[in-house]
Amino acid sequence: MSTAKETATADHAAKVMAGDRRALARAITLIESTRPDHRRQAEALLERLLPKSGKSLRIGISGPPGVGKSTFIEAFGQYAIEQGKRLAVLAVDPSSRLSGGSILGDKTRMEELSRAPEAFIRPSPAGLTLGGVARRTREALLVCEAAGFDLIIVETVGVGQSETAVADMVDLFLLLLLPGGGDDLQGIKRGIMELADLIVVNKADGDMAAAAERSAADVANAMGLMQPRHKGWRPEVLRCSALKRTGIAEIWARAQAFAAALAKSGELKSRRRDQARAWLWHELSDSLLDALKADPEVAAQLADLEAKVSAGKMTPTTAARAILTKFLGI
């Protein structure tokens, strides 16, 4: 990198660390870019910001459509601000197949929180990334930490039970559920429940209060049969009404208790180390696939192999081996 570019990167990093919101937004835009020159600039920027990251509490929030994730995050975020905290929300939205942009626009659904000077909300399209998060969510998270936010919330797409990738990048995984009991629990896959550190039944107000209480009891019984993920913490089931702002203080208290328990046991540091290693392998996998698709010799062969696979003249395994042989030159 030239001296001029190094100076520009150093200046950009300094502004991010000083809490400049425009610089933070530009940093995330740079990180999300797929242009090769932008990727190199983003990597240089992240190298400078990395030493300032790692001090925030990272919370991932998932749940089925209609559960009220944005309403919950607004209520929870406002309470965090009242406790003297600054928070960033990385909201991952479903993507339009036509434009590639976000469909829902979470920032417009958190009007009160988006106006708070202590909060920063960044919607990002999920793109083709599976698991309910965007490809660069991990990097955006580090940038927000370097900008001095005490709390980073990652809101997943919330379109199904593949919402588990977020658990590999946060400290606390919070699963929001709707009131309902009995057979409704059959729709909650064991995999995502096993990853949850806190389960919150939302909309526990009015006519739904009794149903929410039954749901919380049913979920607590189900969780009692599962092996806890952490030595120092057993998952808890709580109730709240994000709309009425009830139960939020208790959820905040339990989130703080979770962080304290894992810090005391040493699991928080070990978890962060494991996540960093997992991130390395995710990035290797994605980068190798990008390089393979960009290779002109592979591209020339790919259409023919795809046609043979589609016609049933070649197995996908054989075609994949042929592509790798061409790409790796072996």
Side-chain angles (χ1 to χ4, degrees), residues 67-90:
V67 74
K69 289 191 296 297
S70 296
T71 305
F72 174 81
I73 291 172
E74 182 155 63
F76 189 77
Q78 286 289 341
Y79 188 85
I81 290 171
E82 291 169 7
Q83 308 312 303
K85 305 297 183 182
R86 297 176 65 236
L87 79 149
V89 179
L90 302 175

Side-chain angles (χ1 to χ4, degrees), residues 59-117:
I59 299 179
I61 297 179
S62 186
V67 74
K69 289 191 296 297
S70 296
T71 305
F72 174 81
I73 291 172
E74 182 155 63
F76 189 77
Q78 286 289 341
Y79 188 85
I81 290 171
E82 291 169 7
Q83 308 312 303
K85 305 297 183 182
R86 297 176 65 236
L87 79 149
V89 179
L90 302 175
V92 184
D93 279 341
S95 298
S96 166
R97 289 186 175 274
L98 296 178
S99 68
S102 298
I103 293 173
L104 299 178
D106 274 282
K107 195 166 185 176
T108 64
R109 294 184 283 127
M110 302 180 199
E111 293 182 10
E112 188 179 343
L113 191 61
S114 66
R115 291 194 295 267

Side-chain angles (χ1 to χ4, degrees), residues 261-278:
L262 262 66
K264 183 178 180 180
S265 68
E267 289 181 86
L268 195 59
K269 286 186 178 180
S270 63
R271 181 167 170 75
R272 293 274 181 99
R273 288 194 294 266
D274 291 343
Q275 288 174 343
R277 283 193 291 267

Side-chain angles (χ1 to χ4, degrees), residues 168-191:
D168 290 330
M169 64 179 72
V170 298
D171 306 317
L172 186 155
F173 182 35
L174 189 153
L175 177 62
L176 281 175
L177 298 179
L178 288 162
D183 292 339
D184 290 346
L185 281 176
Q186 300 304 316
I188 305 170
K189 302 299 182 185
R190 182 183 178 95

Side-chain angles (χ1 to χ4, degrees), residues 289 292 297-328 330:
L289 189 58
L292 187 149
E297 293 186 8
V298 169
Q301 187 182 24
L302 194 55
D304 179 57
L305 291 173
E306 284 182 334
K308 288 179 179 178
V309 170
S310 300
K313 296 179 180 179
M314 181 182 288
T315 67
T317 303
T318 302
R321 186 177 296 112
I323 291 170
L324 287 173
T325 299
K326 173 68 73 174
F327 181 61
L328 298 174
I330 56 175

